[in-house]
Amino acid sequence: MNNLELWPVGNCQVSGLIDTKGSLVWGCVPRVDGDPVFCSLLRNGGDEMLGGSWDVELEDQVSVDQRYMRNTPILLTRLVDKSGGEVLVIDFCPRFERTGRMFRPVSYIRIIRPVCGSPRLKMRLMPMNGYGSSLAAMTYGTNHIRYLVDKHPLRLTTNASVGYLIEERYFRIERDLHFFLGPDEPFVGNVAHEVNGMLEATEAYWRLWVRGLATPLEWQDAVIRAAITLKLCQHEGTGAIVAALTTSIPEAPHSQRNWDYRYCWIRDAYYTVQALNRLGALDVLEKYLAYLRNLVDDSESGMIQPLYSVTGQRELVEWEADGLEGYRGMGPVRVGNAAYHQVQNDCYGQIILPNIQAFYDRRLLRMANEEDFASLEKVGEMAWKMHDQPDAGLWELRTRTAVHTYSTVMSWAACDRLANAAEVLGLADRQKFWTDRANAIRGAIEANAWNEKAGHYAASFGGEELDASLLQLVELRFVDSRDDRFQATLAAVEKALRRGEHMLRYDSEDDFGRPETAFNICTFWLIEALHLAGRDAEARQLFETMLSHRTQSGLLSEDMDFETGELWGNFPQTYSLVGIINCAGLLSRLWRDVR
């Protein structure tokens, strides 16, 4: 049983995580990196009165069953009492087109629907202020409760008895009850009618979005759930894609590896749009490219940092929230991320690679032009300038640097793809210019990353160490999967870093000692490499094993205990969901096989 049994809901403005009791235990306002008014996920779980949750409790409850409404992030939680009484709790955040624009308010909706018997239920709603530092004060009227959350006060509008809610009393559920928690504004219209309409429209939106996905034949449910959740990780207002919806869930027990992932890492977002592109979800790509264009415009001479806020803010000062004890009491709870001022040279390639599609793809509403190419050349200049310079690497080491092979290969890819864009634009001189640079970087990699004595590519220039990112050399088209050097590197990486059914990212000491858990995306990279090496049966078996480790909601976090299979790290993790989509696409039988 995974302790991270959580069910995400959201609308690309706000998101929430609901636990196996039907409680909303994590949710930030007014956006994903805001104050977690629902924060009990990171509180010591022994005292229910600590606050930071929205609970529903059925009197004499004996069972709970949860599932998503098909092809949506609308959660259905069925609660049953000892007398056979049942209620259905429907949780969602509204998202649909209205009056010519997307309606995605800062709001959470719950519907309590009696199914049978005479169930009695108690509701407890306790939002907090200042990262768990205090309960929000409240005032109330005849059909609403106001919660005085700092900066973003909330109003609960309902057709249930406000008195029962305030006093937290059990009461009989004899009709559908509707709860709309949103901005502190009067709710217009009949709450039952309006909320039912929002449910219907939100269901229709998501089912139509899923219908447009080009899913593989096999593992469709897993791919669809991963795709929906990846979309929930995009902040619609700007197009930014966050790495996860949470902060400070540790990578391993008591490890202090507790990081805030509610920001847009250029690397993680690149992999996300790449995976969704393979499913044809161009809306995510288009919004993200707009976000990237703004980052490039705001950059100084093309210099890009590894991560930004969802609005493009550069400074993400890291601090610790004293009001929260941490996941299962394992603090600290960090806000912000000091990695923003690190040097990570792979980010230049990860800016350029997703942008190149816009020069080719005629489905896009806005195709790229020569002006866009000129902006990207600024980023390419930085890739060239930094390709042989030390950096913190993709694993964001905080106390040492090296010339990391992965970063340099990304710089090569940046120059290589710029040459491709120049070709489609008919700019022969720029094509030659970037081709020459790509060739020069390739020569540096072959000369400095290949370790003749060890017989494999190393993770850094002149080094001997290995890390799982070397498995990406084929995906980035630097080498062919049949290349002798890659085959030797695959064998070396597998021998050094594979732990049964799992892969470590590296096995050397870092700022916090040796890694204690496997990094899920690295296991998916191994599956891809096994497939490309012709070891399909082994790849499929390993993929099925990874799918078996998903939560009941069909999702994965960042890390996994390679002995017990328990999930650790922030949740849901975009990297891990990307792995599900990519591996399913590679390994699935073709649609034509069954037609």
Side-chain angles (χ1 to χ4, degrees):
M1 173 69 175
N2 283 309
N3 285 291
L4 285 175
E5 285 292 352
L6 301 166
W7 299 76
V9 296
N11 62 3
C12 303
Q13 174 65 41
V14 292
S15 55
L17 297 177
I18 296 171
D19 70 6
T20 54
K21 297 179 181 179
S23 295
L24 178 59
V25 296
W26 183 258
C28 305
V29 297
R31 62 190 198 207
V32 66
D33 59 353
D35 190 355
V37 296
F38 299 108
C39 54
S40 62
L41 178 67
L42 299 185
R43 298 186 70 80
N44 194 330
D47 186 350
E48 292 183 353
M49 298 308 295
L50 283 171
S53 63
W54 185 354
D55 306 325
V56 289
E57 181 181 319
L58 194 64
E59 189 175 44
D60 297 324
Q61 180 176 314
V62 294
S63 68
V64 58
D65 177 69
Q66 291 174 295
R67 64 180 177 86
Y68 282 116
M69 192 177 289
R70 190 174 77 88
N71 292 355
T72 78
I74 301 170
L75 179 61
L76 308 177
T77 301
R78 187 177 298 272
L79 307 176
V80 181
D81 66 26
K82 68 179 183 181
S83 300
E86 293 185 24
V87 297
L88 181 66
V89 183
I90 304 171
D91 283 289
F92 70 102
C93 298
R95 177 179 173 82
F96 52 89
E97 190 169 320
R98 188 169 78 174
T99 63
R101 60 192 177 95
M102 193 60 66
F103 179 70
R104 45 177 178 82
V106 179
S107 64
Y108 301 90
I109 291 178
R110 313 196 85 165
I111 301 173
I112 309 294
R113 181 169 293 168
V115 177
C116 64
S118 302
R120 285 164 50 85
L121 181 140
K122 177 170 64 177
M123 180 174 283
R124 181 187 299 117
L125 176 53
M126 300 177 291
M128 303 197 78
N129 281 315
Y131 281 85
S133 59
S134 65
L135 281 169
M138 68 177 179
T139 63
Y140 59 92
T142 55
N143 62 0
H144 75 271
I145 305 174
R146 296 177 65 238
Y147 296 94
L148 305 181
V149 175
D150 293 342
K151 299 181 182 178
H152 299 283
L154 299 173
R155 178 186 293 237
L156 177 72
T157 303
T158 181
N159 59 348
S161 167
V162 169
Y164 287 149
L165 303 183
I166 293 172
E167 296 177 14
E168 299 178 9
R169 296 177 52 136
Y170 285 107
F171 61 96
R172 285 182 65 155
I173 308 298
E174 299 180 326
R175 60 188 174 91
D176 286 8
L177 299 178
H178 302 79
F179 303 85
F180 182 94
L181 181 66
D184 185 22
E185 304 166 355
F187 189 92
V188 178
N190 177 279
V191 65
H193 175 77
E194 294 298 327
V195 164
N196 285 336
M198 291 179 191
L199 174 61
E200 182 178 340
T202 300
E203 178 188 2
Y205 167 82
W206 284 105
R207 288 195 170 176
L208 285 172
W209 186 79
V210 168
R211 192 178 70 170
L213 299 179
T215 58
L217 172 62
E218 298 181 83
W219 306 294
Q220 289 184 61
D221 289 339
V223 168
I224 288 170
R225 183 54 51 200
I228 288 173
T229 309
L230 287 179
K231 184 169 175 61
L232 291 182
C233 290
Q234 182 166 57
H235 182 68
E236 176 115 350
T238 61
I241 300 169
V242 297
L245 299 180
T246 59
T247 177
S248 301
I249 300 178
E251 296 177 13
H254 304 286
S255 66
Q256 300 286 304
R257 299 175 188 265
N258 301 16
W259 312 115
D260 191 350
Y261 277 10
R262 300 171 299 154
Y263 307 109
C264 184
W265 267 260
I266 301 303
R267 178 188 313 109
D268 300 53
Y270 155 70
Y271 280 108
T272 297
V273 296
Q274 178 195 57
L276 289 176
N277 282 349
R278 289 168 174 167
L279 300 178
L282 289 182
D283 59 326
V284 176
L285 171 68
E286 288 184 312
K287 293 182 179 72
Y288 180 62
L289 291 183
Y291 177 77
L292 288 186
R293 287 193 292 270
N294 278 298
L295 293 187
V296 172
D297 287 348
D298 292 340
S299 67
E300 299 176 5
S301 303
M303 183 171 290
I304 301 295
Q305 62 189 50
L307 69 153
Y308 298 83
S309 80
V310 295
T311 58
Q313 178 182 345
R314 302 176 68 91
E315 293 189 8
L316 303 172
V317 177
E318 188 175 300
W319 56 279
E320 295 182 6
D322 295 334
L324 297 172
E325 298 87 354
Y327 176 71
R328 293 163 60 183
M330 300 178 195
V333 172
R334 292 189 173 96
V335 183
N337 198 301
Y340 80 89
H341 58 60
Q342 285 187 346
V343 174
Q344 295 179 29
N345 294 329
D346 56 319
C347 64
Y348 300 108
Q350 288 142 357
I351 285 275
I352 289 173
L353 265 62
N355 269 284
I356 298 305
Q357 182 170 341
F359 293 93
Y360 289 87
D361 196 334
R362 297 191 173 274
R363 298 171 297 169
L364 295 172
L365 296 175
R366 182 193 184 280
M367 292 189 67
N369 54 34
E370 289 192 28
E371 183 177 337
D372 296 315
F373 179 76
S375 294
L376 286 180
E377 284 195 296
K378 291 195 305 179
V379 181
E381 287 293 340
M382 287 302 301
W384 167 254
K385 177 181 178 182
M386 304 300 290
H387 79 269
D388 58 355
Q389 299 300 304
D391 71 350
L394 80 162
W395 308 126
E396 301 184 342
L397 301 174
R398 293 196 169 199
T399 58
R400 66 177 187 267
T401 62
V403 181
H404 288 97
T405 302
Y406 177 85
S407 297
T408 306
V409 171
M410 268 294 177
S411 293
W412 166 83
C415 297
D416 178 74
R417 305 314 194 263
L418 280 172
N420 293 346
E423 180 182 24
V424 78
L425 291 173
L427 304 175
D429 58 331
R430 304 312 295 166
Q431 179 185 0
K432 182 179 186 304
F433 177 85
W434 289 111
T435 297
D436 289 345
R437 286 194 162 177
N439 289 338
I441 296 175
R442 173 180 284 278
I445 294 168
E446 295 292 2
N448 297 291
W450 177 256
N451 186 303
E452 190 67 41
K453 179 181 177 182
H456 59 70
Y457 287 109
S460 64
F461 277 21
E464 295 185 0
E465 74 281 12
L466 294 156
D467 76 38
S469 68
L470 294 169
L471 300 177
Q472 287 286 283
L473 295 180
V474 173
E475 171 64 32
L476 292 170
R477 304 204 303 267
F478 182 78
V479 296
D480 186 272
S481 62
R482 295 162 295 185
D483 181 90
D484 289 341
R485 287 190 166 190
F486 177 74
Q487 289 293 327
T489 302
L490 168 59
V493 168
E494 189 174 5
K495 180 179 179 181
L497 303 181
R498 185 168 180 175
R499 299 293 184 272
E501 300 165 341
H502 309 280
M503 279 287 287
L504 305 180
R505 47 188 162 176
Y506 49 82
D507 189 29
S508 56
E509 288 206 7
D510 59 18
D511 318 333
F512 296 87
R514 286 185 181 275
E516 302 171 60
T517 51
F519 206 66
N520 289 328
I521 186 60
C522 297
T523 305
F524 287 117
W525 286 349
L526 174 63
I527 293 168
E528 294 174 13
L530 293 176
H531 164 75
L532 293 170
R535 296 159 63 182
D536 268 5
E538 187 178 354
R540 288 178 68 92
Q541 185 276 326
L542 189 53
F543 183 51
E544 291 282 6
T545 298
M546 283 299 291
L547 292 181
S548 74
H549 288 298
R550 291 174 299 157
T551 61
Q552 295 176 44
S553 58
L555 305 173
L556 289 167
S557 63
E558 180 186 50
D559 306 275
M560 193 182 303
D561 187 308
F562 48 80
E563 293 182 352
T564 67
E566 183 175 3
L567 294 177
W568 290 91
N570 283 305
F571 179 91
Q573 176 74 12
T574 54
Y575 259 159
S576 301
L577 304 183
V578 163
I580 292 173
I581 292 172
N582 288 346
C583 288
L586 279 176
L587 300 174
S588 174
R589 290 179 295 142
L590 301 177
W591 281 96
R592 69 187 182 206
D593 294 341
V594 295
R595 287 176 179 166

